[in-house]
Amino acid sequence: MPIWKSLLSRPDAILALILLGAVVLAGVLAPLIFPGGPWRMVARPFIAPFTDMGHPLGTDALGRDLAVALIYGARTSLEIGLVSTCAAVLFGTAIGGIAGFFGGRVDSLLMRSTEMFQTVPSFALAILLVAIYSPSLLSIMAAIAVVSWPPVARLARAEFLSMRRREFVQAALLSGQSNLRVAWSQILPNVLSPLIVMAALMISMAILFESALSFVGLGDPQVVSWGYLISAGRGVMARSWWLTFLPGFSIMLTIVSISILGDAIGDSQDPHFERKETE
Amino acid sequence: MLKTVVSETAKRLVVILFVVTGAFLLVRAAPGDPAAFMAGEAGSGDPAFIAHLRAQMGLDRPLPVQLGYYLRDLAALDLGQSYREGRPVFDMIAERLPNTLALAGAAFLLALVMGTAAGFLAAIHRGRLIDRLISIGSVLFFSSPYYWVALMAILLFSGKLGWFPSHGTQTIGAGYTGMRALADYLHHLVLPATASALFSMAIYARLVRASMIETANALFVKAAHARGMAPVWIWLRHVLRTSLLPITTMAGVQAGQLVAGTILTETVFAWPGIGRLMYEALGARDYNVVIGVFLVTSMIVILSNLVVDLLYRFVDPRTRAA
Amino acid sequence: MRLRTVICAVFAATVAMAAPISAQERGGSLKVALFPEPPTVVAGLSGLGSASIVSSKIYEALVTYDTDLNPLPWLATSWETSEDGLVWTFNLAEDAKWHDGTPFTAADVVTSYQVFSVENDRLKLISAKIDGVEAVTEHQVRFILKESIPSFIYMMNYGNLPIIPAHLYAAGNFRENPANATPIGTGAFKVADWEKGSYIHLVRFEDYRDGSRPYLDDLYFVTIPDAQGVAVAFEEGSVDVASASNLEGFDVARLSAMDGVERTNHGWEMLAPHGFMWVNTQKAPLDRVELRQALNYALDKDFIRDVVFNGLATPPRGAFDSRTKFFDAGVNAYAFDPEKARDLVAASGYDGAVLKLSTAPVGSAWARLAEYEVQAWKEVGINVELDNNDVGGYLKKLAERSYDLGNIYLYQYGDPSVGVTRNFYSFNDVPGSPWNNVGRYVNPELDALLTQADAVNDPAERAALYAKAQQIIADDAVQVWTAELQFPTLYRSRVRNLVTTALGLSDSFANVWVEQ
Amino acid sequence: MMTDPILDVRDLCVDLRGGSRIVEDISLSVTPGQTVCLVGESGSGKSMIANAIMDLLPGSLLAVSRGQIRFHGADLRLCGHRALRELRGRRISMIFQDPMSALNPVRRIRTQFDEVFSAHGVEPEGGREARMLELLELAHLPTPRRILDAFPFELSGGQRQRVMISMAMALNPDLLIADEPTTALDVTTQAQILQLIAELQRAFGTGVLFITHDFGVVAEIADRVVVLRHGKIVEQGPLDEILRAPRAAYTRTLIDAVPAWNPRAGGLSTPALVSARALGKVFKGGATALDEVSMDLLAGETLGIVGESGSGKSTLAKCLIGLEEPDHGGIVMDGTDITALPAAQKRLRRHRMQMVFQDPTAALNPRHMIGRTLADVLKVNGCARPDLRARALALLDDVRLDRRLIDRFPHELSGGQRQRVCIARALAANPEVLIADEALSALDVSVQKQMLALFQDLKEARDLAILFITHDLRVAAEICDHVVVMRHGGVVARGTPEAVLAAGRHPYVEELLAAIPGQDWFPAGGAAAARGAGRCAI
């Protein structure tokens, strides 16, 4: 596997992989390791980190274990990041693909609508959507997907459009293969790598978005998220800065890891296939 | 040129119409009765009050008619009344907009200048220590929620060090005037503007760096070398200038997002702009205000896109011909 | 008609609590942290506490109350009530003026009553018992009641009946009156400028009826939207006064320990903020008294006091706040007893259905409280989920009665008949309103008891009736009681006479002065 | 001719950083007024030598590891960057293959031209503006003032290259390095540019190091030839010697690859397979792509469509095959006008005409192995699943490719092999007509020859009609039964090659013929004799 090989050749990518792996693992296993959930009050409030090994990252204002909350927060962030990104990528690719493949009037109609979605300030729109449809995991994911699909559509369109003009695609069409088949088997595999790189970026943005929504009080109240922890810690910042610092730091580390991996994947993908002869 | 301006402007008008209609339908499509929503804090759900609101909002009319009235009012800059303050939403936004524009503008300039400078430095020192540092810095800023960075900045620069004030636009009651008042305003602006700028700054830095490295490989750069030009000049006049074109487009998008992003910054720094107005209106379900801010923000975004597009046409001769 | 003079002490109490008169200094300014920013500072237009903190400097009421809840003169210099309690006569300040120069007269009081007997929820409840208000002379006004209202003097508080100018409000809809754009009151301060989102600036009203007062030249209310910001602002000295209602509990402890900072717990005797939870008593499974009792037993009120409110609370015994008149300390309160709660849950036949706890974003302590409650109930087998709303949505849930449980704190206004009993009358269950009997509690026996208690003049008799009512309410676990809240006020030591009455920061500030 | 060399390269080696040697032991020299041609196919390292001389190698990838580059006796490798920069542009100039990307797209010509002077602090007599105008005029640019104000995209390819040449000559350099400066241009433009370089060289006495892959160009301009292959010099010597008696077999191959002048006479008279009837197409923006074009492709013949870029030849092919819709006119196949058919019907007929594209790299899906590429086509054209592999292998045999390549990816193949795969893919649809759209021009000359032979064989074996689109009149004349010459979207001449090229030919055909380089050595029926005589006089 060339991707793995190239990832493993970069120390920063290895580190990112380990970090992200840990976050994912913790998030997935959270209910198994801490079946009591993140809301349980387990000790006295405001224990500082690294002072009580039973609660390595200390406790919050209600005496809940911060480490447990962070791990459950990872779960929420990843869940929202993945689901909303998948939705946005699928939808965006479909729209952009159709626009780029068929061109002409279909293209200008679809792209004009995409542009409209893109000109609307995304955070404001997300706030509006979540606020109106009341905060829940579903509404948050939907809102993030709604504001993040346009760039995918534009990318997919550009890629499909350029691929559509590529001679191997024309040759495939000339040989009698159907549009759908050509789009699926000739074009899609070739546009996948920029889409993957973009998806990595979008997961990051989705996590940031979710945290920002939680921060302004539009998070799902049933689940712990990093944004919620920051906003909860904010009030006690002067006394226990780590309650605000650590969740934000978790977001940062996760997104740094995703960005590094996205870059690494992007670097490793294209040149091999796309490289022209040297002269 | 004039033709382009007109056609581009017309295009934006269509977008605005779309946004307005979208916002209108969104609120109407929301679960529940918007009038009952708005009854909220003030109305105590009094049926008479809700009926009054329904009539005031024209909710008893068919949807297309409502939309028509809505658009008509909007054309007259009437964004409706805030039920909470009983004042025109337009006035409320107008009195806070300058603060938001100052904040977003400062953040925009800061991000653009610092981001470009950082990207430039990184590109010309590609692979060296300074490039690594800038790259790490931009990845970190790109990855951090900026409201969190803002909080940390308050903790450090206001709390621990006491260098900058943590909230508001001015030292209240100090009675400063003239230059002194301006200096006071700027002093208050430092933290919020920097905190809002970091994210965009990171994006610019990465973009400028990538774009410059790509441009540096272009044949015309090689040709300039072959002409015996000094490398510094080539970097500045050929590479940077040409690389800045894609940044222009990005700047349009970012400028708008910055305005929307002030919802967070203004909340953290108690900055009296439209972002915080929206945040507070959200809490109070003052939907006319929320929608008003949303529309105004959208329009600023659309406007800045328009300006950038026209600017781009002006800066990049190739698009002028097309 | 034999008149009984109740009080005729002009300004005695306030002076008694103040520093020696000679020390009072004119001039200076005061900056008060304020949140949320009120939508308006016209008296009675907004129910927000922060609105009345500002508007009470601009407008005045007939009376105020000392920290033992004895009425003190304000715009009324003295008052009398008839033996049967059906006629109340107020003598008004003769030299008071509105900010626009118009003299203040009894007509203003009449107009104010006419407006607020419609606009004010609490006043509206008793307006049926009031026959009318009439201006006897330019400076004397008389309220005539149909039946005795023992708590009448508490009904006259600033929150219920601020006095607004008749020459501006005589006609038309109060809420849509153009005069609302420019507040005109008789208060010691008037509005200079209001930078939305930043501050409200009041200046001394030079024509205030008492030559030397107010002492301050400028009064700033600084809008800071979060507890952290208020703490930092107070710490760095950019505000002089901060109320704990805008602060985190632990910050109160930290800031009051600073040099040159004073703290007072006074000023909330009138309002007595009482934290409890509405329980929708007609909605299964909450119609089961066992389950409601279990909800009460499952909460550790000491924990709530210590951890959620950082010690700034008292565990409540029931529906009556200990600061309210006729509070009965003997009421059987719900001590923390998870075992008992579990048994009661089993006895109630609760099937594990998920209940929704509605909340509003009114501060991090309230978010923590809700989170604690959910967790504490989970421990005894009651499944509760948070239903976060914004303020409007929350009130809507209450108004529609579509909630299961809802955290809230309400002011008690000194006398139970003003602030407490209205929440239990079955006829006060009016869907559409988020106030009064939101819990939909129906108990004819209690209705009768409360009706009697609210009308009887004799204090001892009232106390007995209220004691009985308190026990019924507690036994039936009509609500879940969480905390009697304390909102200490922090201020710089150089600020004097800041909190002298039961109204706290919602008083006139005419006596406040600052050491230069 | 015993002047000291301007440029004297000794034993030059270029290595990949930390890797293999790309260019090995190159020695060559250029004397004043001399034109030295560096000839080689792609990958021979010829551009790298030019870049090494100019110190323009991408430093992170490549480095000069050994050897000397003497300029007027001083070793450029030792003189330091600053001194080198002084030389560049002033005493050594360079022009590039692609004049579009060699000019900054967003700056006016004036600004860029001006940099030549400002970079070296030169103030020409009479001012820069006057000098620029003078130089542009010398380069035969019609409206120099307008050109100065223009942006690069507003100029044609030929004009841009002229601007580049003017800039290169601005400071009267001793040495001009020209890296394939005419490859991207049409033949007629190429002829003009070559002439211009020769003219200026004469006027300024400049030495020229000219890099090309085309022996025709070499024969046209070189005094001395250096033949390069795989980074090594195969042989070098004066033009006469190399052309007359090449010592190396490789040189022989390159020379032989220049098409012979051999116009075919007899055409076929079979029935028409496909006919275009008065096709017209106007592109968005108003450029006429096709102007009432009619033509017949006869069964079993090779029809050449000849024209320069913008002549409409590719648009014609695309219309025929259905990749573009003509605005009006008809395409008749078997008596029916296929432009009028519904889309489904069109698709059914698609397989009957197949296309081979110019760039075989772009024409193959980089992610599909050769077998899959062929199988996909076979499948939709009715081949049963179990037979797919056998049929694909048979196709590889047909195009003379090693059967083992079936499990390779395109990037593992050479350019020629890829083009064979493309042909195999076209054949997989079992077509009656094969359209080859400049199918040879991206290939090395030595490969072109083989490919032509392959087309010829396939045509006979499968009874194909071939529509052969090319810019090279000689190639068309040699292999086609009929030729159609197009210009500006219209047909200017048609008929058998002999007829089209016979005396009394169309003036444009005349022009095309005259533009063919190297006619002294590779006769092409143009006005070679007179020009050749002129050259010998130097």
Side-chain angles (χ1 to χ4, degrees), chain D residues 12-24:
Chain D
L12 180 72
C13 294
V14 178
D15 290 2
L16 262 179
R17 282 238 185 256
S20 51
R21 184 148 291 184
I22 306 287
V23 167
E24 197 171 339

Side-chain angles (χ1 to χ4, degrees), chain C residues 433-446:
Chain C
S433 161
W435 311 119
N436 304 328
N437 190 356
V438 175
R440 319 203 69 182
Y441 182 65
V442 181
N443 183 344
E445 185 198 348
L446 186 69

Side-chain angles (χ1 to χ4, degrees), chain C residues 1-6 79-89 142 457:
Chain C
M1 196 189 286
R2 236 187 73 204
L3 294 175
R4 180 164 61 102
T5 302
V6 176
W79 50 91
E80 305 154 327
T81 177
S82 61
E83 185 78 334
D84 57 3
L86 290 180
V87 178
W88 286 78
T89 309
R142 184 185 289 157
N457 271 325

Side-chain angles (χ1 to χ4, degrees), chain A residues 215-237:
Chain A
F215 181 71
V216 297
L218 293 172
D220 185 324
Q222 309 324 329
V223 297
V224 167
S225 89
W226 288 334
Y228 159 80
L229 291 174
I230 295 177
S231 109
R234 179 185 169 198
V236 297
M237 207 166 69

Side-chain angles (χ1 to χ4, degrees), chain A residues 35-41 45-46 60-64 131 134-135 217 219-222 228 231-240, chain C residues 225-228 231-232 235 248 250-251 254 303 307-308 310 356 364 367-369 371-373 375-376 378-379 384-388 390:
Chain A
W39 302 105
R40 251 180 109 96
M41 286 139 242
F46 296 121
D60 73 355
L62 281 184
R64 296 174 299 209
S134 82
D220 185 324
Q222 309 324 329
Y228 159 80
S231 109
R234 179 185 169 198
V236 297
M237 207 166 69
R239 176 198 172 122
S240 312
Chain C
D226 65 294
Q228 186 56 36
V232 172
E235 196 167 8
E248 284 285 339
F250 72 87
D251 271 335
R254 186 172 64 88
F303 180 89
V307 175
V308 175
N310 287 281
K356 291 276 186 185
S364 57
R368 287 200 299 268
L369 176 63
E371 285 158 14
Y372 164 73
E373 286 162 345
Q375 196 61 33
K378 196 172 167 189
E379 307 282 334
V384 180
E385 267 187 13
L386 285 181
D387 178 21
N388 280 4
D390 46 50

Side-chain angles (χ1 to χ4, degrees), chain C residues 227-265:
Chain C
Q228 186 56 36
V230 174
V232 172
F234 189 80
E235 196 167 8
E236 72 189 17
S238 56
V239 294
D240 306 311
V241 179
S243 163
S245 59
N246 290 334
L247 286 168
E248 284 285 339
F250 72 87
D251 271 335
V252 173
R254 186 172 64 88
L255 296 175
S256 50
M258 282 169 52
D259 282 344
V261 171
E262 303 285 327
R263 161 184 171 164
T264 174
N265 280 351

Side-chain angles (χ1 to χ4, degrees), chain B residues 75-145:
Chain B
L77 292 179
D78 179 359
L79 293 166
Q81 295 269 320
S82 155
Y83 80 83
R84 191 164 160 261
E85 300 202 15
R87 298 198 304 141
V89 172
F90 183 82
D91 295 356
M92 294 169 66
I93 291 175
E95 68 196 10
R96 286 169 179 250
L97 194 58
N99 283 327
T100 296
L101 291 181
L103 174 56
F108 177 70
L109 278 181
L110 202 64
L112 196 61
V113 173
M114 299 295 288
T116 307
F120 180 77
L121 275 178
I124 62 174
H125 295 115
R126 191 183 178 185
R128 280 185 247 155
L129 183 66
I130 187 161
D131 177 27
R132 297 243 173 84
L133 288 179
I134 289 173
S135 295
I136 291 173
S138 60
V139 166
L140 288 185
F141 287 137
F142 176 78
S143 305
S144 311

Side-chain angles (χ1 to χ4, degrees), chain D residues 349-369:
Chain D
R349 283 160 201 269
R350 270 209 178 139
H351 75 97
R352 296 175 61 181
M353 280 195 261
Q354 289 295 305
M355 192 148 173
V356 179
F357 297 89
Q358 174 174 0
D359 179 2
T361 312
L364 290 173
N365 190 333
R367 278 162 212 280
H368 288 180
M369 283 194 280

